[in-house]
Amino acid sequence: MASVNALVNPRQNRQPISHDIEHVQVDDDPREWTKMRKTCILLTIFSASMIAGLNSNLYNPAISQIKLQLQASSAEISLSLSLYILISGCFGVAWSAVSEVYGRKIVYICSFGLSVAGNVAAATAQSIAVLIGMRCLQAVGSSAVISIGAATLADMYDPHERGTFMGLYLCAPLLGPAIGPMIGGLLTQAFDWRATFWFLSAFTGICLLSFVFFKDTFRQERSSAYQAALQLTQERKARRASHFSTFSQATVVEPEVVLDISREKADFYAAEGVGTPEPKSYSLEIHRTVQDDVEAEQTPATAMDTDPRPEIKGTTCKKVKHTLHNMNPVRPIIAVLRRFNNLATSLASGLCFAFGYSLTYTSTRTLSMRYGYDPLHVGLILLAYGAGSATGSVLGGRWSDRVMAKLKATGQRPVPEMRLDSIKYIVCLLPGIVSAYGWLSEKHVHVAALCVTLSFAGFLSMWLYSITLTYIVDANVGRSSTAVATNSCFRGVLAFVAAEVAVPLQDSIGDGGLYSLWAGLLLMATFLTLLVRCKGSRWRATAEQKESSK
């Protein structure tokens, strides 16, 4: 009789079991891999992420040759620069949506294949229109590693160590702006502008081969996108079963696994004064007959039956049928941006990135036009900015981990917003340094002063950028790839605008006025981050409550 009741109402008298989606048991857990394996994957992602920076900056020293040989206008050259950064920032959301369903490895291989094709075609282009089109294809290919590289690290590392490795990972894209102009200048002077694209073709091809042997870190059980697909699949099967159910074969749904809320989150909601939301349940389906249920009732309970935290095997992933609806990138982006802490942090992070892009672009013009340096010397001077950026990224990540550890040691309940305490030291320093660089350039002082201010500007801006990006990963458990891709959209759009208005502003108000404007924008970015530190936990709690009530 109990079996018949279970068939009629399978959820009756069943108690949900709490789980944290980020730590659901999986087969071959990437967080339990050896340090050597994790380091190899980190180096692979590190090398691959350099391509995004090289694609945008290796090209700059060859601009004068391209204009001459392809008879391109300044507007067309500017378009080839700004379209690259716009597409590379925005297309990452599509790669992210695919990676949250099919895994990281297939995305890396497909995207780098496109990037190799774009580089080869650009190297043989005979018109500026073809070159612009291939630059767009380059951007599509290189956008994947930026959007899912951070998510790959989140797959392997827990939050308490994530800041350090995120800082190391972010060094690679920063090396592009640092060494790109120097390598591009050498290749252009030794050969011609096409050599820069052949170099990129070879480098991207090597990265593509490395991903053939890449060990995928993605586990679908820890993905919100997978859980949504699982729930939709079960609902469809339940509707079909309601029409064709019989007592000889039926669908039994057990056990009920709650992945959205854990005991720690319940305590958090209580501490914040927000009502605990109704948890969402994701059930694992098995098919069996009534006779099986009768036999199960007559069998004594085992340790597995009474285990309060049952293991969720990776084999359940194969039962989910993925559709284009599951890979729709718009719905996950909307879900991320509904949380005001994500919106504010992405805006702050995007302003930091756009500043760096504007700085390298306008500094190249200043050093070549006002100081008379050739492409090679311009690249050597910009190494100061690159070195400062890389140092700020590494030290900022390590410092944020240290701050989180100190706060936890005082007995405070750990929340992602603790990491943002690390940026309070640069609230006034960063705008001041940026403004100083602008006016030193305006007054045409000795280049040594520019190198010093460039180094500090890179250090402080990347300190802020690395910490905000790590926070975005920590604050979006189960959807870190989508959150990073959304952040990349902000970066791409803001950098596109910065590239389009940089030269007109530089010509009209000079370097002093331009970088005073940037100082104000970066001051706003730091205050937005501090606002998230103060109110972000309550914003997240309110958003999670609304999501769970739907």
Side-chain angles (χ1 to χ4, degrees), residues 22 42 150 153-154 156-171 390-405 416 418-420 422 462-474:
E22 192 173 16
L42 177 63
L153 299 187
M156 296 190 298
Y157 298 106
D158 278 311
H160 70 275
E161 57 184 350
R162 201 171 283 163
T164 299
F165 293 103
M166 200 71 73
L168 290 170
Y169 155 72
L170 288 175
C171 280
T391 306
S393 177
V394 174
L395 295 184
R398 290 183 64 86
W399 183 260
S400 69
D401 281 348
R402 181 180 178 182
V403 167
M404 285 196 72
M418 285 181 175
R419 191 178 298 280
L420 300 180
S422 310
M462 287 303 111
W463 181 289
L464 175 61
Y465 179 75
S466 66
I467 292 171
T468 54
L469 186 62
T470 308
Y471 166 76
I472 287 173
V473 173
D474 290 347

Side-chain angles (χ1 to χ4, degrees), residues 157-447:
Y157 298 106
D158 278 311
H160 70 275
E161 57 184 350
R162 201 171 283 163
T164 299
F165 293 103
M166 200 71 73
L168 290 170
Y169 155 72
L170 288 175
C171 280
L174 301 175
L175 288 177
I179 66 176
M182 182 179 64
I183 297 176
L186 284 171
L187 292 172
T188 303
Q189 288 185 357
F191 304 100
D192 64 358
W193 65 270
R194 298 181 189 276
T196 61
F197 289 103
W198 287 120
F199 173 83
L200 288 172
S201 301
F203 188 24
T204 308
I206 293 172
C207 291
L208 175 61
L209 289 177
S210 69
F211 281 115
V212 173
F213 305 99
F214 178 77
K215 179 75 172 178
D216 204 339
T217 61
F218 178 69
R219 297 295 179 267
Q220 288 180 316
E221 297 94 328
R222 293 176 175 174
S223 167
S224 294
Y226 164 72
Q227 298 300 339
L230 177 61
Q231 190 176 29
L232 288 173
T233 300
Q234 291 169 354
E235 289 173 356
R236 287 194 294 266
K237 288 183 177 180
R239 285 195 296 268
R240 288 197 299 267
S242 65
H243 295 292
F244 303 104
S245 60
T246 64
F247 285 99
S248 62
Q249 178 78 21
T251 300
V252 180
V253 183
E254 70 173 348
E256 204 171 72
V257 182
V258 179
L259 296 176
D260 279 0
I261 181 127
S262 62
R263 186 177 300 278
E264 291 182 1
K265 286 189 176 181
D267 295 340
F268 166 71
Y269 284 115
E272 295 292 336
V274 180
T276 304
E278 183 70 18
K280 289 183 180 177
S281 299
Y282 303 98
S283 304
L284 305 180
E285 286 191 359
I286 58 175
H287 292 274
R288 59 186 181 185
T289 64
V290 173
Q291 183 64 32
D292 294 330
D293 285 334
V294 173
E295 292 174 358
E297 289 180 357
Q298 297 171 352
T299 304
T302 63
M304 182 63 71
D305 296 327
T306 58
D307 186 1
R309 296 181 65 86
E311 182 178 1
I312 302 177
K313 295 294 186 181
T315 54
T316 59
C317 303
K318 299 178 181 178
K319 297 184 179 181
V320 177
K321 181 179 180 181
H322 299 300
T323 65
L324 290 177
H325 177 75
N326 303 141
M327 291 180 286
N328 179 8
V330 177
R331 292 174 68 251
I333 290 176
I334 293 175
V336 169
L337 293 181
R338 278 177 181 160
R339 301 186 178 189
F340 190 70
N341 63 303
N342 289 334
L343 182 62
T345 309
S346 294
L347 180 58
S349 178
L351 285 172
C352 285
F353 182 83
F355 161 72
Y357 195 80
S358 176
L359 179 67
T360 55
Y361 185 26
T362 55
S363 295
T364 300
R365 293 185 81 236
T366 298
L367 292 171
S368 59
M369 294 171 60
R370 301 194 63 185
Y371 285 79
Y373 288 119
D374 59 29
L376 179 58
H377 285 87
V378 170
L380 290 172
I381 292 170
L382 289 180
L383 275 175
Y385 174 75
S389 298
T391 306
S393 177
V394 174
L395 295 184
R398 290 183 64 86
W399 183 260
S400 69
D401 281 348
R402 181 180 178 182
V403 167
M404 285 196 72
K406 288 178 64 177
L407 291 174
K408 288 169 63 177
T410 62
Q412 297 187 44
R413 180 179 47 78
V415 292
E417 284 73 23
M418 285 181 175
R419 191 178 298 280
L420 300 180
D421 272 4
S422 310
I423 65 101
K424 60 187 179 184
Y425 308 103
I426 65 170
V427 171
C428 296
L429 289 176
L430 177 58
I433 288 292
V434 171
S435 182
Y437 167 77
W439 289 107
L440 289 173
S441 298
E442 182 80 12
K443 300 300 181 182
H444 199 189
V445 300
H446 193 274
V447 72

